[in-house]
Amino acid sequence: MGQLTVASLNTRGMPVFGSRLAERYQAIGQFFEASDVDVVNFQEVLTYYHLRHLRMHLPSFRYAVQQPSAVGPAGGLVTMSRRRIDEKIYQRFPLPAARMTAALPRLSRFKAPLKGILATHLAEPDLWIVNTHLLANFDGDWSAKSRYYELHRQQLAALASILDSVGGRLILSGDFNIARDSSLFEGFAASSQLADAFVDCPPTFHQEYLHPGKSSHCIDFLLFSAETIKSENARLIFTDKVPMAGGPEYASDHLGLTVTLTVS
């Protein structure tokens, strides 16, 4: 038996410009350095400039795993760990068929092929940590009639395939960009047979960053193999603004997730 504390956070912050990246990443680093977290799955670490700032403020997380690409970590995915990581797998989501993206905004069509899955293997305890980020749904509609539905279903199928290939004990987290009460998530949860660390999943996106009239949903998840892993003390992090040199601000547009897990 052993314990492992895992966290997940989409680090982007809003807006794209003027997001006070250096200050936010310093606040994120200070939080995790002072915490008991062993492994963090980060999303939207978009460039090597982002990665450099993140690593600068997380010196005790000696293992920083990512798949290099031309401008930064592939898929914006980085897993940082205080425990030894001995293997890595990265896979992009399949290229969507033209019919899946024809009705999507231009930005969504551009981003869809860049998303992916990063799986890292911990030496002790022996398990896989899987990090992912699905395409954002700017409509807030996850029904079967949504213009994002088929593409999200394809991405979830690719994610399920990676989970099957690594097998054994695993922890999966990331920004799914699909609501917990959607048929998409319900179907994935049922087929993967992973347990959700949060019995009641609260909204994981700060309402202040949404367009007027839009509601925040639970779109970030921390899931695990229920047969060999038990969870306790699941909690949200970065719920409030954090102190910064230029004045308090949210560390990201997303809230983070963390949970302590007992691995048998």
Side-chain angles (χ1 to χ4, degrees):
M1 301 283 284
Q3 283 198 326
L4 181 74
T5 301
V6 180
S8 186
L9 177 68
N10 181 320
T11 70
R12 177 184 165 187
M14 296 290 281
V16 175
F17 299 103
S19 68
R20 301 166 67 181
L21 177 82
E23 290 181 80
R24 291 193 301 102
Y25 271 32
Q26 181 177 5
I28 290 169
Q30 287 174 342
F31 174 86
F32 285 119
E33 280 295 305
S35 75
D36 63 350
V37 171
D38 298 295
V39 184
V40 190
N41 278 342
F42 290 112
Q43 301 89 46
E44 291 212 79
V45 184
L46 299 176
T47 68
Y48 291 118
Y49 175 78
H50 288 70
L51 180 60
R52 187 164 61 250
H53 273 277
L54 198 59
R55 296 196 67 177
M56 181 191 312
H57 299 297
L58 288 164
S60 71
F61 288 76
R62 295 184 299 142
Y63 300 91
V65 181
Q66 45 92 22
Q67 177 68 25
S69 73
V71 297
L77 301 174
V78 177
T79 296
M80 297 190 67
S81 175
R82 286 169 161 151
R83 302 196 185 190
R84 183 166 68 89
I85 291 174
D86 58 12
E87 191 175 349
K88 172 191 78 176
I89 298 170
Y90 180 79
Q91 180 175 300
R92 281 190 177 183
F93 288 125
L95 287 173
R99 61 177 175 77
M100 292 184 185
T101 59
L104 299 184
R106 182 178 299 176
L107 183 60
S108 295
R109 295 198 302 270
F110 170 76
K111 287 186 173 183
L114 304 179
K115 302 296 184 180
I117 308 156
L118 176 67
T120 54
H121 184 261
L122 285 187
E124 182 60 38
D126 172 21
L127 56 77
W128 285 90
I129 305 283
V130 184
N131 186 5
T132 194
H133 186 193
L134 278 64
L135 183 69
N137 181 333
F138 294 108
D139 298 341
D141 174 14
W142 292 276
S143 71
K145 295 180 180 180
S146 166
R147 55 180 173 170
Y148 290 91
Y149 185 85
E150 287 300 325
L151 190 145
H152 272 154
R153 190 164 68 169
Q154 181 189 64
Q155 291 183 338
L156 289 171
L159 179 56
S161 178
I162 280 284
L163 300 184
D164 287 342
S165 68
V166 299
R169 296 180 299 193
L170 63 87
I171 298 165
L172 164 65
S173 77
D175 177 5
F176 280 49
N177 274 313
I178 57 175
R180 190 186 189 190
D181 58 1
S182 68
S183 62
L184 284 165
F185 182 77
E186 290 173 355
F188 175 78
S191 63
S192 67
Q193 297 186 328
L194 296 177
D196 193 335
F198 289 79
V199 177
D200 297 311
C201 186
T204 59
F205 194 90
H206 288 293
Q207 184 70 36
E208 290 87 337
Y209 292 118
L210 291 172
H211 293 298
K214 296 289 186 180
S215 298
S216 183
H217 294 267
C218 175
I219 57 174
D220 299 81
F221 301 99
L222 207 161
L223 313 173
F224 60 91
S225 303
E227 291 184 358
T228 54
I229 302 175
K230 305 300 178 186
S231 71
E232 58 183 70
N233 197 25
R235 58 202 183 278
L236 294 177
I237 52 178
F238 298 111
T239 56
D240 301 316
K241 293 183 177 181
V242 296
M244 296 183 190
E249 184 54 271
Y250 289 113
S252 173
D253 49 4
H254 285 251
L255 285 72
L257 312 174
T258 187
V259 64
T260 298
L261 302 161
T262 300
V263 183
S264 61

